Amino acid sequence: LRYHYQHRAEVEIVVQAATDRDAVFNVLAVGVGAALAVDRTLGGLCDWVEAEAPRPVDLAIDGAATLKAAVIVIELHYASADPLA
């Protein structure tokens, strides 16, 4: 008997910079994708891990540089012999 699960985890990326905000944001988003691509099983903890595309938004802050933020949803697929393990 095997129990198959699919969970959603979230990674939040927030960048506040007066210059190169978009470039810094892109480096972080690509870094998350690259880290997952190195090992899609997270060292054997999952059967498959895949990220969804982020939907960035600009958030205005009074008296400060604008924030660029996004949530990257990561789908974790795995199976277990015990539903409580």
Side-chain angles (χ1 to χ4, degrees):
L1 182 62
R2 301 286 292 169
Y3 297 90
H4 296 272
Y5 295 99
Q6 180 177 341
H7 286 274
R8 294 168 62 93
E10 295 180 347
V11 175
E12 294 180 3
I13 297 176
V14 180
V15 175
Q16 184 177 24
T19 60
D20 296 330
R21 183 173 44 94
D22 292 336
V24 172
F25 179 88
N26 289 338
V27 167
L28 289 173
V30 168
V32 170
L36 293 176
V38 167
D39 182 5
R40 295 269 182 199
T41 68
L42 299 181
L45 296 174
C46 292
D47 295 324
W48 186 255
V49 176
E50 187 168 343
E52 294 179 4
R55 295 185 191 113
V57 295
D58 292 324
L59 304 171
I61 305 294
D62 290 336
T66 302
L67 297 174
K68 184 165 190 158
V71 173
I72 299 175
V73 176
I74 301 172
E75 295 283 340
L76 307 165
H77 301 268
Y78 63 94
S80 174
D82 183 353
L84 301 176

